[in-house]
Amino acid sequence: MAGKQIVQTAATTVAEPTPAFDLPTELTKPVVNMESCILFGLPKCGKTTLLSKLPNCLIIDTENGTNKISALVKKIPDDKGPVGRMKWLEDFADFLIAKGKPYDYVALDTFTEINDMAEWSGTYRYMHSTQGKKFNRADDEVTLLKPDSSDYQSVHTVGQGFGYRWSREDTLRVFDKYMKVAKKCVFFVCHVEDKFLAMKENTEVVAPKQLALTGKLRDILPRKVDGIGYVYNDEGVIKINFTGNEDRVGGNRCSHLQGYNDVADWSKIFI
């Protein structure tokens, strides 16, 4: 029967209308500027200073890295542990959205620190799950070990890499919430992995495994954002390299930033 679906039950056969879909007839209008971006680079290369120059940009400081600059800053509470901090981050994202996104730009500085906190919030969640009911327990297999116990372990120690799922889920939950908090663009600031800190500050775009993120997140998060920029200091001048290829982190979905590797001029980056 044309245009209809046949649904069979034990008692009867019923013809249901085929769902109707609107078909696009006009080209979409592209969004010109980035709406999400990963900024990464070596310590003290100028990432936070650069963000402070953006008008109406809120910097959410997770590492006390804003003490030496003048900026719009919200510091993550230092009287909470990793579980409480991750909860605070989620609540603050909801608050910004409920307030109508008062900032044009929001930067999580750094998201590497948030990813580190997720290891321990993920550990807590695993301990309170069915699968982890014996994890980080005392000899009676009931009493929970305290984080300061010498026997307390990270969920990352769970066999065959299964434990990384728990920290990854916590990291992605915060990431996805903050993708929605800014009117114009949200920045996720990352470090370079420790073993690459000796790398010189130059125009070389580092490889995905050099991003200071855990496991699969090094591949997942770059795919989710509009742009990935490597920030470096060239004789006192802060520059951004948005170039990249299939093997290297970098690149941008915005046509005016294709191949951009120059002075970090916000008037050229956001047009």
Side-chain angles (χ1 to χ4, degrees):
M1 185 179 296
K4 294 188 176 181
Q5 295 176 326
I6 305 301
V7 179
Q8 291 185 330
T9 66
T12 184
T13 299
V14 180
E16 291 187 352
T18 301
F21 296 94
D22 293 329
L23 297 175
T25 58
E26 296 181 1
L27 297 177
T28 59
K29 184 177 180 180
V31 176
V32 174
N33 288 314
M34 295 186 298
E35 296 177 292
S36 56
C37 177
I38 290 175
L39 288 182
F40 67 106
L42 300 176
K44 310 299 186 293
C45 69
K47 300 184 293 293
T48 305
T49 299
L50 176 61
L51 288 166
S52 72
K53 306 301 182 184
L54 261 175
N56 197 29
C57 176
L58 174 68
I59 300 175
I60 300 173
D61 185 355
T62 67
E63 296 185 352
N64 289 320
T66 58
N67 293 337
K68 304 299 182 183
I69 63 171
S70 176
L72 292 169
V73 176
K74 183 68 174 178
K75 291 192 176 185
I76 192 169
D78 57 10
D79 60 345
K80 299 179 183 294
V83 176
R85 288 184 173 194
M86 293 295 282
K87 179 65 166 58
W88 182 92
L89 283 164
E90 291 189 55
D91 290 344
F92 189 59
D94 292 337
F95 179 78
L96 289 175
I97 294 170
K99 286 293 184 180
K101 303 181 183 180
Y103 300 98
D104 291 332
Y105 307 94
V106 174
L108 288 163
D109 189 6
T110 66
F111 199 73
T112 294
E113 176 67 17
I114 294 170
N115 182 210
D116 290 344
M117 290 188 295
E119 176 180 354
W120 301 107
S121 63
T123 297
Y124 178 85
R125 282 200 308 116
Y126 180 66
M127 289 168 61
H128 290 80
S129 70
T130 301
Q131 301 96 313
K133 62 183 179 182
K134 295 184 179 180
F135 190 73
N136 279 338
R137 297 304 200 268
D139 292 338
D140 60 11
E141 297 187 351
V142 175
T143 305
L144 294 171
L145 294 177
K146 294 183 178 180
D148 59 357
S149 169
S150 60
D151 293 324
Y152 193 88
Q153 292 183 306
S154 162
V155 72
H156 290 176
T157 64
V158 176
Q160 299 181 331
F162 173 78
Y164 282 88
R165 163 201 155 192
W166 295 84
S167 62
R168 183 167 61 248
E169 288 176 349
D170 279 15
T171 302
L172 286 172
R173 189 165 56 252
V174 171
F175 181 91
D176 289 341
K177 276 182 176 285
Y178 276 88
M179 286 285 277
K180 307 170 185 176
V181 301
K183 287 180 180 175
K184 294 183 178 180
C185 186
V186 60
F187 294 91
F188 303 91
V189 182
C190 294
H191 291 308
V192 173
E193 196 173 10
D194 287 348
K195 64 182 178 180
F196 293 99
L197 291 182
M199 184 179 66
K200 293 181 178 179
E201 296 181 355
N202 55 30
T203 61
E204 181 67 15
V205 183
V206 304
K209 291 184 179 179
Q210 293 177 7
L211 276 178
L213 294 169
T214 304
K216 294 179 181 179
L217 290 172
R218 295 180 186 131
D219 298 318
I220 294 172
L221 298 190
R223 293 198 301 264
K224 284 178 169 280
V225 297
D226 291 332
I228 307 103
Y230 177 55
V231 181
Y232 62 99
N233 194 306
D234 184 7
E235 297 182 352
V237 178
I238 301 174
K239 295 183 176 181
I240 299 182
N241 189 347
F242 281 114
T243 63
N245 57 39
E246 293 180 355
D247 299 318
R248 295 177 176 181
V249 167
N252 200 289
R253 292 175 180 147
C254 303
S255 59
H256 69 286
L257 291 177
Q258 297 300 319
Y260 190 99
N261 181 15
D262 206 339
V263 175
D265 184 342
W266 290 124
S267 66
K268 294 180 180 178
I269 295 170
F270 293 100
I271 59 175

